[in-house]
Amino acid sequence: MENKQQNLDRENFITENDKEELKTENMTEETKITKENIEDFILPTTLEDYREISKHFYAGFWIRLIAYIIDIAVTYAITGLFNTLTFNKLNITMNIPLLGESSLTYIFVMLFYFVIMTYSINQTLGKIIMGLKVAAISPKKLTLIDVLYREIVGRLLNMALFSLPYLVVAFNSKKMGLHDYIADTVVIKEDFMKLRTHMNKKIEQLNIR
């Protein structure tokens, strides 16, 4: 009689174990599905929601100004090092139309620095420190043409206009300067970069314009 009861208990135990294992498997499967589809819940339900959230993506005037000051300091340091290595033979001051008197070495270093850094990693050292990235307005990767328009044409125009066009950043919703308008670019806070990319891809997939 005792042995029979033990067998029944053993069967009940196995049955309960099987149930727990099955429950665990189901939970694992549910968790897996949730993880695979979690990104689907990131996209807002309407374009109005997206526009509201996207207001926080763009870097404002002051943080961009700090990043720019850092970059100017870096370009001056690189220019000084370059002039030292070349014994100032290339440090020629030229009177450039619209730009006035400028060191040819400095202009070359500045444009080269901004183009190479922005094209290769979408950031300069100043933007890295401040946690910012340059991105195209549309959901595409920055092209070399975009960068050349932004960092050469745009910046030369800014210099010619005494840097006043930079103030435009403070007065529009996407915080775009003149050079951004020329190249169709924006400056995004790095923390929001992944979210913005994902949301833009979702909108593109839905063929929403």
Side-chain angles (χ1 to χ4, degrees), residues 71 111-126 128 147 151:
D71 287 327
L111 296 179
F112 187 79
Y113 166 82
F114 279 103
V115 168
I116 294 300
M117 293 290 290
T118 303
Y119 181 64
S120 59
I121 60 173
N122 295 6
Q123 293 174 292
T124 55
L125 289 177
I128 291 172
V147 174
E151 303 300 343

Side-chain angles (χ1 to χ4, degrees), residues 5-162:
Q5 183 62 40
Q6 287 178 349
N7 288 335
L8 284 172
D9 291 342
R10 189 178 297 108
E11 288 175 5
N12 289 335
F13 176 75
I14 293 171
T15 303
E16 290 301 320
N17 273 355
D18 289 342
K19 288 180 181 178
E20 286 299 321
E21 287 179 7
L22 184 59
K23 186 178 178 182
T24 303
E25 287 175 5
N26 289 338
M27 288 176 64
T28 304
E29 188 64 26
E30 288 173 5
T31 304
K32 181 180 178 183
I33 292 171
T34 303
K35 285 182 178 178
E36 287 174 352
N37 299 308
I38 190 68
E39 290 186 345
D40 291 335
F41 297 98
I42 295 175
L43 185 65
T45 55
T46 66
L47 279 176
E48 286 71 25
D49 291 340
Y50 171 74
R51 292 191 185 100
E52 195 62 33
I53 292 173
S54 67
K55 291 178 182 177
H56 303 285
F57 293 175
Y58 307 107
F61 175 79
W62 293 110
I63 191 170
R64 288 180 64 172
L65 177 62
I66 295 170
Y68 184 65
I69 291 172
I70 293 170
D71 287 327
I72 293 300
V74 170
T75 54
Y76 270 114
I78 295 173
T79 301
L81 178 62
F82 185 80
N83 287 334
T84 300
L85 294 175
T86 57
F87 303 101
N88 279 322
K89 289 183 178 180
L90 300 177
N91 188 21
I92 303 169
T93 300
M94 300 183 66
N95 192 359
I96 303 172
L98 298 178
L99 300 182
E101 287 192 1
S102 300
S103 165
L104 188 62
T105 308
Y106 173 72
I107 292 175
F108 173 77
V109 168
M110 184 186 71
L111 296 179
F112 187 79
Y113 166 82
F114 279 103
V115 168
I116 294 300
M117 293 290 290
T118 303
Y119 181 64
S120 59
I121 60 173
N122 295 6
Q123 293 174 292
T124 55
L125 289 177
K127 287 185 176 67
I128 291 172
I129 292 170
M130 300 309 296
L132 309 176
K133 273 195 171 185
V134 180
I137 290 179
S138 59
K140 68 180 182 67
K141 185 178 179 181
L142 276 181
T143 65
L144 181 58
I145 297 299
D146 294 332
V147 174
L148 291 176
Y149 269 114
R150 186 181 197 276
E151 303 300 343
I152 293 183
V153 178
R155 290 199 184 277
L156 287 177
L157 280 174
N158 277 323
M159 291 170 65
L161 296 171
F162 309 103

Side-chain angles (χ1 to χ4, degrees), residues 162-192:
F162 309 103
S163 297
L164 291 177
Y166 285 121
L167 295 175
V168 177
V169 172
F171 300 102
N172 63 86
S173 59
K174 291 188 177 180
K175 312 300 181 185
M176 296 168 66
L178 174 64
H179 54 311
D180 290 312
Y181 280 108
I182 289 172
D184 286 333
T185 58
V186 287
V187 177
I188 306 294
K189 297 171 187 175
E190 196 170 7
D191 291 342
F192 292 102

